[in-house]
Amino acid sequence: MAQANPFQDPLRFERRVPPCAVVIFGANGDLTKRKLLPSLYRLAFERRLPQGFAVVGISRTEMSDEDFRKKMEASVKEFLENSPFDQDLWDDFARGLFYLAGDVGDDAMYQRLSARLDEIAQARQTASNTLFYLSTQPSHYGTAARGLGRAGLARGANGAWRRLVVEKPFGHDQTSARELELALHEHFAEEQLYRIDHYLGKETVQNILAFRFGNPLFEPLWNRQYINSVQITAAESIGVEGRGGYYQETGALRDMIQNHLLQVLATVAMEPSAVFEATAVRDERAKLLRSIRIYKPSEVDQHAVAGQYGPANAGGKELVGFRQEEGVDAKAMTDTYAAVEFQIENWRWAGVPFYVRTGKRMPKRVTDIAIRFNHVPHSLFMTEGVDTARPNLLILRIQPEEGISLRFSSKQPGPGMKLRPVSMDFNYGSSFGSRTPTAYETLLVDAMIGDATLYTRQDMVEASWEAVQPILNVWGNRTDDPFPNYEAGSWGPKAADELLARRGNEWRLA
Amino acid sequence: MTAATDIRAEKLLKQLADVWKDLGKKESDYAVVRACSMTLIVATTADDEQDLGATLGELMHSHPSRYIVLRVKSGEESTFSARVFAQCQLAFGRRQQLCCEQIEFTATRDRIADFHAVALGLTVPDLPVLLWIKDPRLLFAGEFDPVLRLARSVLIDSADFEDAAAGLADLDQRRLAGWRIKDINWSRLTVWRETIAQMFEAVNCRELAATIDRIDVRGENKKPGADVLYLAAWLAQRLPVAKVNTAGGGVARLRLFAGSRTLEVTGAREALFATALDGLITRVPAPLRSDADLIDEELSILGTDSIYDATLPDALRCARTTV
């Protein structure tokens, strides 16, 4: 075991990234330009990266190291969020950027990569620690993992670590997810794999854990005795934005619910772990995901609603329907909206519906979790036969304004005893003042440090596929054509309202 | 402004309540939220109303507090006055105003005991009280002693000490008496300490640590400074060195010698340059930090800072050796 660094001061310094290099497959792609390099540069600005830190970009395009540096400089300048660009720092950071042109299917490329990494380890003292980041098309994940393994790059010598980060989607369905698992595990052990779900890197999603397990006030209420229902909403105001071809094959259920939103649900509903440590936390998340009721095909229509937006005029603007989007089949059966009532079969949550919805072309961009508590058991405050007390509502806002609100009833000033709902708000940004790190900054540091707490594990991937696969099967075998069934700019199809109305609930206007 | 004879805690609290009512009436478009995480008492002598106001304004973003400011005034005519007001910022996506209370006293030295009596009734119940002695000369003034009894946590900037060794000796005595000392000057060293910690993440540096036999810390100013002493003491605690050299104040360069091999960190404009064993030079951003930013770092440590507490007595020993 490495000797502890006596100069560390955990009260003052952020967690230290050890000397290492990051190898990005798909270095010419959007994710690298928009997220990965800006995040790494920002980490350098925050003094989070080790001295001699290096990045090796790989893609098919022929480019020199210098060309790659120039290209990345332009990207960082364009996509850096809430942060100044410091030319001197960039010049220093860019000296650690290298590029290798090659095809993920070409074994010779991995040999060249191996030699390049040896040179870099020598020149920049990276101790041969390497994080491989697959930012390529998902169909290349298995090929790249095998290529790395065959070239001996999956195992480091002399205690050097090797890790592999994989971006979602982790398969297209349950079967392909298992195939991917087999391909990844051929050369990499599970503890070397970091399946990234950027939702888990968001400060507010992490804050759910802090809120739940750092405040004993709510824990006694966090169960079926006091909670009526939970709503998780991830709405986007935009459409498919030129990604029609890709989205047509994916759909809202696969793109959002199978991964991001089920992870959020698991974070809200999981049992406390004994320690805040990767294995323990992920064990609890996995356990929760395995507790989700798997619907029979005959039950799917009762518990899940698919939607697809049609054309509309919203606020004087003509919006096209999904089938009119570029690259989309005129008869596409893709769900651009999905709402599912999940049921968790354990003692804590039995009987509490977890409503999860996501959609494109909704009235606004918002992601939040609303926990609706039970109504008062006996109403004291009736006005003209109407109970003025409203159930308490706890809202955990993930975006755009990260924070927490608690709605409770208060007496309206004046004569009589009329109640009205008031809200106590906590806003993450304004309460702490400082800039919050982006999800990719958090997750990249975690992977380099070796902390997998916020990464998805294979059993979690499998459990979430298991929960959505019956719904996908039913939707995939549909013979009728119900689409489009909601107007662009609206809150989704009418059937989604009926889904909640069956239990006397309704969607919040987020 | 409240006349001297009227200065009572109850009356000032009533005035504060009126401030909130007025704010609520004036700001019909925005909700007004009172936020408070502690009582911060600031004692100063300087006529730096603008600087202090700006610092407190910046600080309220991350540490909304009840601010009680005491301006100690020179002059023969006995004075004791107070005023209350609120500082607000638009928060919560600009829909709500977040406001903090401020009570400002002006007192001549003969009225400091009166301030103590009033301030006792003004601290917010159940929340921590921190005393920021902005002018360190007050720390050594006998008539200021009652104010020191208002808190067990004291914030100071040792960069303002006339005599670093004497100042550190006083702080160490207070630490031994159970005070929690927070030094803004120690926060200034974070970037240096962090850079060194990062250097020692590399295996070759870690291996070299056992053979480092000399530490040299230099300041840009001739006058000895507490920061140079702190840094040298902190390093010496972690390395088996035989010799520690310090000179000046305002850390500008440090070197660690292991025979013929050297690790070096040098300060430049808004950056540090760390030279590792193999000659690889890394530029580390070190932007100038405002007082509010440095205080924010100190306030973010809720309990005892054991590393600072262990460094302070050794820094004092370093000062005595240097002298």
Side-chain angles (χ1 to χ4, degrees):
Chain A
M1 197 174 139
Q3 194 191 345
N5 181 344
F7 296 95
Q8 291 301 354
D9 182 348
L11 280 178
R12 306 260 176 179
F13 312 158
E14 299 289 349
R15 289 179 299 172
R16 300 257 62 80
V17 173
C20 65
V22 174
V23 177
I24 303 174
F25 288 86
N28 208 20
D30 251 14
L31 184 73
T32 306
K33 288 189 273 192
R34 287 172 182 269
K35 298 289 181 191
L36 300 184
L37 257 293
S39 298
L40 288 171
Y41 167 79
R42 178 68 206 187
L43 289 171
F45 185 84
E46 298 272 4
R47 305 192 295 271
R48 305 285 302 276
L49 295 183
Q51 284 140 27
F53 176 74
V55 175
V56 181
I58 297 176
S59 80
R60 277 186 295 198
T61 316
E62 285 295 336
M63 232 188 302
S64 66
D65 287 344
E66 207 42 53
D67 291 341
F68 181 59
R69 288 167 187 157
K70 277 184 191 147
K71 198 164 186 167
M72 291 303 116
E73 180 176 351
S75 299
V76 169
K77 279 178 179 166
E78 186 178 353
F79 297 112
L80 194 59
E81 289 173 30
N82 305 324
S83 191
F85 182 84
D86 177 333
Q87 190 64 48
D88 290 339
L89 174 67
W90 172 262
D91 293 342
D92 190 63
F93 177 78
R95 278 192 278 278
L97 298 188
F98 305 93
Y99 184 79
L100 188 65
D103 191 296
V104 287
D106 176 12
D107 277 350
M109 187 273 286
Y110 296 95
Q111 297 301 334
R112 294 204 307 278
L113 173 63
S114 181
R116 198 82 200 262
L117 284 172
D118 286 345
E119 284 166 27
I120 290 167
Q122 194 68 32
R124 300 193 60 87
Q125 293 294 320
T126 63
S128 281
N129 294 323
T130 313
L131 181 76
F132 299 105
Y133 198 114
L134 301 186
S135 173
T136 59
Q137 284 177 28
S139 56
H140 291 156
Y141 290 170
T143 315
R146 286 192 181 106
L148 288 168
R150 281 198 294 266
L153 287 165
R155 298 275 176 272
N158 303 321
W161 52 258
R162 299 291 160 95
R163 296 178 190 134
L164 181 66
V165 179
V166 187
E167 273 281 338
K168 70 140 195 158
F170 313 120
H172 187 71
D173 53 22
Q174 218 170 351
T175 311
S176 56
R178 284 191 189 130
E179 285 166 7
L180 175 64
E181 183 213 347
L182 290 174
L184 295 176
H185 280 155
E186 255 180 58
H187 296 283
F188 288 88
E190 179 62 28
E191 58 270 20
Q192 289 178 281
L193 294 172
Y194 288 70
R195 295 177 192 81
I196 202 164
D197 185 327
H198 73 268
Y199 255 63
L200 291 181
K202 287 178 182 287
E203 286 281 319
T204 333
V205 176
Q206 295 177 63
N207 196 35
I208 296 170
L209 294 174
F211 181 81
R212 284 193 59 200
F213 304 132
N215 296 292
L217 178 66
F218 287 96
E219 177 50 28
L221 311 179
W222 213 260
N223 56 53
R224 62 193 298 272
Q225 306 287 345
Y226 297 95
I227 291 178
N228 169 282
S229 60
V230 177
Q231 283 185 26
I232 300 175
T233 299
E236 290 179 74
S237 55
I238 55 169
V240 290
E241 307 295 298
R243 292 166 66 235
Y246 160 78
Y247 197 81
Q248 177 171 266
E249 302 304 321
T250 311
L253 186 63
R254 271 195 188 91
D255 193 41
M256 290 294 290
I257 295 182
Q258 183 273 330
N259 37 69
H260 301 320
L261 300 186
L262 281 180
Q263 290 298 332
V264 171
L265 183 151
T267 309
V268 171
M270 66 188 246
E271 294 297 316
S273 59
V275 286
F276 191 67
E277 178 263 304
T279 306
V281 173
R282 298 200 300 175
D283 281 348
E284 294 304 334
R285 273 209 187 98
K287 209 160 79 186
L288 189 285
L289 289 167
R290 285 197 297 269
S291 307
I292 294 175
R293 184 174 161 200
I294 312 299
Y295 293 126
K296 294 178 191 141
S298 59
E299 295 173 322
V300 166
D301 284 345
Q302 286 293 305
H303 300 287
V305 172
Q308 187 188 90
Y309 62 87
N313 183 305
K317 197 177 162 193
E318 290 296 334
L319 301 172
V320 296
F322 177 68
R323 288 174 175 175
Q324 289 77 49
E325 297 273 12
E326 195 187 330
V328 174
D329 189 323
K331 290 184 179 172
M333 294 294 284
T334 312
D335 49 306
T336 62
Y337 174 98
V340 183
E341 176 198 335
F342 287 106
Q343 294 174 13
I344 297 169
E345 297 185 318
N346 64 19
W347 275 47
R348 189 188 280 264
W349 295 115
V352 178
F354 281 71
Y355 300 112
V356 179
R357 65 173 165 171
T358 182
K360 290 200 174 287
R361 282 268 183 251
M362 311 242 82
K364 63 177 175 181
R365 172 178 169 259
V366 61
T367 303
D368 65 19
I369 302 148
I371 292 137
R372 187 166 174 259
F373 289 86
N374 287 333
H375 206 282
V376 290
H378 170 67
S379 186
L380 297 176
F381 309 110
M382 307 288 281
T383 301
E384 292 171 1
V386 178
D387 182 7
T388 54
R390 310 284 299 163
N392 294 122
L393 198 61
L394 178 69
I395 298 156
L396 308 170
R397 297 190 309 272
I398 294 174
Q399 60 187 21
E401 283 171 29
E402 302 187 334
I404 296 171
S405 299
L406 177 65
R407 187 182 78 180
F408 58 95
S409 297
S410 170
K411 182 186 175 300
Q412 195 164 313
M417 199 59 175
K418 282 185 198 163
L419 305 192
R420 71 171 186 197
V422 290
S423 179
M424 276 200 309
D425 289 333
F426 154 75
N427 184 289
Y428 215 75
S430 57
S431 294
F432 288 107
S434 54
R435 173 191 180 275
T436 51
T438 64
Y440 275 96
E441 287 168 36
T442 304
L443 292 168
L444 280 164
V445 167
D446 283 357
M448 290 187 276
I449 284 173
D451 180 353
T453 310
L454 300 177
Y455 283 84
T456 312
R457 208 169 54 187
Q458 181 59 28
D459 54 347
M460 294 151 80
V461 173
E462 281 180 23
S464 49
W465 272 120
E466 207 168 331
V468 301
Q469 192 64 52
I471 305 171
L472 286 170
N473 291 345
V474 169
W475 289 359
N477 292 328
R478 186 182 284 127
T479 50
D480 61 332
D481 180 4
F483 298 145
N485 58 356
Y486 73 97
E487 286 186 354
S490 75
W491 278 112
K494 197 163 168 285
D497 297 336
E498 290 159 5
L499 175 76
L500 271 70
R502 279 179 213 127
R503 284 184 183 242
N505 292 318
E506 57 185 26
W507 292 110
R508 302 176 46 242
L509 288 180
Chain B
M1 189 81 77
T2 306
T5 50
D6 288 343
I7 299 175
R8 285 175 293 119
E10 297 85 7
K11 188 154 185 152
L12 292 167
L13 291 172
K14 168 78 173 58
Q15 287 177 4
L16 274 177
D18 291 342
V19 166
W20 289 111
K21 278 185 201 155
D22 289 349
L23 274 171
K25 280 180 202 159
K26 275 184 213 159
E27 301 290 346
S28 54
D29 292 344
Y30 300 105
V32 176
V33 178
R34 171 181 175 264
C36 190
S37 61
M38 68 174 145
T39 303
L40 176 61
I41 302 171
V42 189
T44 183
T45 50
D47 189 16
D48 60 353
E49 201 159 341
Q50 261 192 332
D51 283 355
L52 181 61
T55 301
L56 296 182
E58 206 179 317
L59 207 54
M60 72 175 275
H61 290 258
S62 41
H63 301 280
S65 306
R66 176 176 288 173
Y67 300 116
I68 301 174
V69 177
L70 168 65
R71 292 181 188 283
V72 179
K73 200 180 155 190
S74 330
E76 289 185 1
E77 194 184 337
S78 181
T79 304
F80 185 45
S81 62
R83 66 182 182 122
V84 301
F85 56 98
Q87 281 211 57
C88 298
Q89 56 151 326
L90 275 175
F92 306 116
R94 305 185 75 80
R95 287 199 310 270
Q96 293 177 339
Q97 284 208 85
L98 189 68
C99 299
C100 293
E101 300 163 332
Q102 193 161 325
I103 309 165
E104 198 167 295
F105 294 88
T106 304
T108 40
R109 285 176 185 261
D110 61 317
R111 304 300 301 273
I112 288 176
D114 293 336
F115 165 77
H116 170 251
V118 178
L120 270 177
L122 292 176
T123 55
V124 183
D126 309 316
L127 290 177
V129 181
L130 176 73
L131 174 62
W132 174 17
I133 304 175
K134 198 161 181 301
D135 185 335
R137 287 173 300 182
L138 291 169
L139 197 61
F140 307 103
E143 63 271 31
F144 194 69
D145 281 352
V147 179
L148 291 171
R149 291 200 294 271
L150 287 168
R152 296 301 284 169
S153 290
V154 65
L155 177 72
I156 196 117
D157 189 350
S158 63
D160 295 334
F161 283 157
E162 285 294 324
D163 178 339
L168 290 181
D170 184 88
L171 292 185
D172 196 41
Q173 271 184 6
R174 291 182 194 280
R175 180 188 66 82
L176 289 169
W179 285 66
R180 190 171 287 167
I181 310 290
K182 292 176 176 291
D183 188 349
I184 295 171
N185 213 14
W186 176 246
S187 284
R188 284 192 191 95
L189 291 176
T190 298
V191 63
W192 287 85
R193 296 194 301 121
E194 202 177 10
T195 303
I196 295 159
Q198 190 60 274
M199 286 177 109
F200 279 88
E201 282 293 315
V203 177
N204 58 353
C205 286
R206 200 87 65 86
E207 286 166 355
L208 188 78
T211 60
I212 289 173
D213 53 10
R214 190 154 61 92
I215 295 171
D216 188 90
V217 186
R218 310 253 146 197
E220 60 185 351
N221 310 317
K222 259 191 170 172
K223 194 173 127 188
D227 59 341
V228 167
L229 299 168
Y230 279 147
L231 192 56
W234 177 75
L235 286 164
Q237 282 174 351
R238 284 156 182 79
L239 295 166
V241 287
K243 200 170 178 196
V244 179
N245 292 329
T246 60
V251 180
R253 187 181 71 182
L254 78 88
R255 282 180 294 177
L256 305 175
F257 299 94
S260 60
R261 308 184 77 186
T262 313
L263 287 171
E264 183 172 320
V265 183
T266 313
R269 199 174 58 86
E270 305 225 354
L272 300 183
F273 290 91
T275 309
L277 287 175
D278 51 8
L280 182 73
I281 300 175
T282 307
R283 185 180 190 279
V284 181
L288 284 175
R289 299 176 68 186
S290 65
D291 274 357
D293 188 30
L294 294 163
I295 294 169
D296 180 35
E297 181 179 321
E298 285 298 329
L299 297 188
S300 67
I301 295 167
L302 301 175
T304 305
D305 181 352
S306 57
I307 294 180
Y308 173 76
D309 281 1
T311 306
L312 175 58
D314 280 5
L316 186 57
R317 270 190 284 279
C318 256
R320 286 174 180 150
T321 317
T322 308
V323 171

